[in-house]
Amino acid sequence: MTDVIVVGAGLAGLNCALTLQSRGYAVTVLEAADAVGGRVRTDRIDGYLCDRGFQLLNPAYPAVRRYVDLEALDLQPFTAGVAVAGAAGTTLVADPRRSPSLLAKSLVSGYVQPRELSRLAAWAAPALGPVHRVLADSDDLSLRESLDAAGVEGRLRREILEPFLAGVLAEDEGSTSAAFVRLLLRSFLLGTPSLPAGGMQALPEQLASQLREPVQLERPVTSVQGGDEVVVHTLDGELHARAVVLATDPATAAELLQVQAARMKGLTTYWFSTDEPPRSDKLLVVDGRRDGPVLNTAVMSNVAPTYAPPGKHLIQATTLHPSDAVEADVRIQLTRLYGTSAGAWELIVRHDIAEALPHHPPPLTHRREVDLGEGRFVAGDHRDTPSIQGALVSGRRAANAVTQQLV
Ligand SMILES: Cc1cc2nc3c(=O)[nH]c(=O)nc-3n(C[C@H](O)[C@H](O)[C@H](O)COP(=O)(O)OP(=O)(O)OC[C@H]3O[C@@H](n4cnc5c(N)ncnc54)[C@H](O)[C@@H]3O)c2cc1C
């Protein structure tokens, strides 16, 4: 019998297992898939690194700074800002503190009106204050209601903020908690989103490599029984432990532990290869006109040359999922966004991630119960916030709760 069984080797399960291991407990991690990482996986296809759905690692996340060896990941940063493709061409909108010259260009171009900017700055100001104040916002509204109430209007909202956030939140109705969006903005303002040179999966692999007992892959858990001694059933038998942490995706947690299932939001990412990069910079491009299904796109190999083989380039284009759009629609929009034909680009792979992010409406509930009694615990981004930060924190919280019970 082991001390603790952790079910699921996503970021939450891995951080939970590492925390328990550091406190001297014997931990067994069971993972259904053929590799660790959960929603943070990378496909290696013909020398290209295609993350399973476009995602970014923000080195400003407190949990990332605390639990991850960022230097070993060899982070490749995007430029701090976005390129907005609008009616009058492409405009660069940048973080004024880190790219002052780019912001000046935006203002001169007339794209960003100073009045809109000051209202948005006032709305976002709490994001740069103490985190506990954002978390304690008892009047939390949906993003849409909150921006309306603050009088944030105009092109800055419609053509920059909303298209950008739609890709980050996997929804374009503005129904996410405004307090959560402020937390996200905080990390965007404090850190520069980046890609590990070895692909996003390098992050969970780094965590897994520190476990003394390797993760048992392709061992799906079929049921869990609580009690003084917990029993975990797999396809090939049962295991016993003093406690079990279910760090699976929300739907499986709901099925195995009868916790309430979070509503999930989806994203689709198309990965294209080409000989000539359609842009030479390291900016995320958003479509200010929303004239097509693509929310954002980027030349990934400009940011991280390791994402493509020598002489080739890799482009990602992300849409909401589900979507009625077909690949031809995506190519037409990309042709317009980049000003060069995307018709002949080779599609390497398309990732449809129906369950990308748990929906997080207001009020922000970032500390959901993790101790379900009878030696059963639950972890995952659905217990905290839908992000890498939330998953890591939730794993730590579950480990703390287990520790309290086992002492
Ligand atoms: C396309 C996409 C883009 C994203 N972009 C960002 C971003 O830019 N920034 C950010 O911070 N976050 C982003 N996220 C969110 C972030 O990736 C997740 O919040 C986080 O990875 C969730 O980790 P988790 O450990 O809670 O769950 P998961 O990663 O879902 O891990 C659960 C694990 O449990 C395993 N499992 C399930 N059932 C069983 C079973 N029966 N037995 C054993 N194992 C089982 C699964 O295989 C999986 O490995 C994105 C997510 C996606 C999908």
Side-chain angles (χ1 to χ4, degrees), residues 319-330:
T319 73
L320 291 176
H321 177 92
S323 157
D324 296 334
V326 295
E327 190 183 316
D329 302 325
V330 170

Side-chain angles (χ1 to χ4, degrees), residues 119-120 122-124 126 137 139-153 157 161-162 173-182 185 362:
R119 285 192 179 166
L120 178 64
W123 177 84
D137 180 2
D139 299 323
D140 189 19
L141 299 170
S142 70
L143 175 66
R144 182 170 27 83
E145 291 164 336
S146 176
L147 290 173
D148 286 348
V152 180
E153 271 302 334
R157 171 172 172 179
L161 189 67
E162 289 181 342
E173 294 155 5
S175 55
T176 302
S177 149
F180 172 60
V181 176
R182 284 196 177 100
L185 285 181

Side-chain angles (χ1 to χ4, degrees), residues 8 11-12 31-32 38-39 55-56 61 221 247-249 380-381 387-388:
L11 295 176
E31 166 56 51
R39 275 170 272 160
Q55 46 188 306
L56 298 162
Y61 280 145
V221 166
T248 65
D249 54 281
D381 61 349
S387 63
I388 289 169

Side-chain angles (χ1 to χ4, degrees), residues 12-369:
L14 291 170
N15 204 32
C16 180
L18 281 174
T19 305
L20 289 166
Q21 174 180 284
S22 74
R23 293 174 183 166
Y25 295 105
V27 188
T28 297
V29 185
L30 305 177
E31 166 56 51
D34 60 357
V36 301
R39 275 170 272 160
V40 186
R41 294 282 303 270
T42 303
D43 288 336
R44 290 176 174 272
I45 306 171
D46 300 334
Y48 295 93
L49 298 182
C50 303
D51 297 324
R52 288 200 189 158
F54 169 61
Q55 46 188 306
L56 298 162
L57 179 58
N58 194 318
Y61 280 145
V64 167
R65 290 215 303 266
R66 188 161 167 198
Y67 306 120
V68 179
D69 179 353
L70 286 171
E71 213 175 300
L73 290 179
D74 189 11
L75 290 187
Q76 312 286 307
F78 275 75
T79 297
V82 289
V84 183
T90 301
T91 309
L92 304 181
V93 182
D95 178 348
R97 296 157 315 144
R98 282 176 289 170
S99 309
S101 59
L102 291 188
L103 181 80
K105 271 192 205 163
S106 318
L107 287 169
V108 169
S109 73
Y111 202 92
V112 175
Q113 297 297 323
R115 201 172 73 126
E116 290 174 24
L117 195 60
S118 69
R119 285 192 179 166
L120 178 64
W123 177 84
L128 282 171
V131 171
H132 66 85
R133 275 209 209 131
V134 181
L135 296 176
D137 180 2
S138 56
D139 299 323
D140 189 19
L141 299 170
S142 70
L143 175 66
R144 182 170 27 83
E145 291 164 336
S146 176
L147 290 173
D148 286 348
V152 180
E153 271 302 334
R155 297 172 83 182
L156 187 56
R157 171 172 172 179
R158 305 281 172 217
E159 298 184 18
I160 301 174
L161 189 67
E162 289 181 342
F164 170 69
L165 287 175
V168 176
L169 304 172
E171 59 100 353
D172 59 0
E173 294 155 5
S175 55
T176 302
S177 149
F180 172 60
V181 176
R182 284 196 177 100
L183 286 178
L184 278 179
L185 285 181
R186 177 187 176 83
S187 54
F188 280 117
L189 291 170
L190 296 179
T192 307
S194 304
L195 302 168
M200 286 296 291
Q201 195 173 327
L203 168 63
E205 278 172 355
Q206 180 190 98
L207 299 181
S209 70
Q210 297 163 53
L211 286 170
R212 276 194 292 275
E213 188 187 315
V215 173
Q216 299 187 23
L217 300 172
E218 300 183 277
R219 277 205 90 182
V221 166
T222 50
S223 69
V224 168
Q225 218 175 299
D228 289 341
E229 185 178 311
V230 297
V231 186
V232 171
H233 297 269
T234 65
L235 291 176
D236 54 3
E238 58 182 48
L239 289 89
H240 296 243
R242 297 168 69 196
V244 60
V245 179
L246 219 73
T248 65
D249 54 281
T252 308
E255 192 187 313
L256 296 182
L257 286 184
Q258 287 79 51
V259 291
Q260 200 188 350
R263 176 163 83 78
M264 299 296 279
K265 300 169 298 177
L267 291 167
T268 290
T269 299
Y270 294 77
W271 297 93
F272 294 103
S273 102
T274 159
D275 293 341
E276 293 298 324
R279 292 178 72 93
S280 57
D281 57 28
K282 302 179 180 187
L283 282 158
L284 189 71
V285 179
V286 300
D287 189 348
R289 291 196 291 178
R290 295 295 311 273
D291 189 12
V294 175
L295 300 171
N296 63 57
T297 174
V299 184
M300 302 293 275
S301 45
N302 287 348
V303 181
T306 44
Y307 268 56
K312 293 285 191 177
H313 292 276
L314 180 69
I315 294 143
Q316 75 80 19
T318 295
T319 73
L320 291 176
H321 177 92
S323 157
D324 296 334
V326 295
E327 190 183 316
D329 302 325
V330 170
R331 288 183 189 271
I332 289 167
Q333 193 181 358
L334 290 176
T335 297
R336 186 175 56 70
L337 288 173
Y338 285 112
T340 183
S341 175
W345 293 355
E346 184 194 348
L347 179 69
I348 300 176
V349 66
R350 166 184 153 170
H351 291 126
D352 291 312
I353 318 279
E355 309 218 321
L357 292 168
H359 184 40
H360 206 118
L364 180 65
T365 36
H366 65 292
R367 294 281 185 269
R368 290 197 171 88
E369 186 57 76

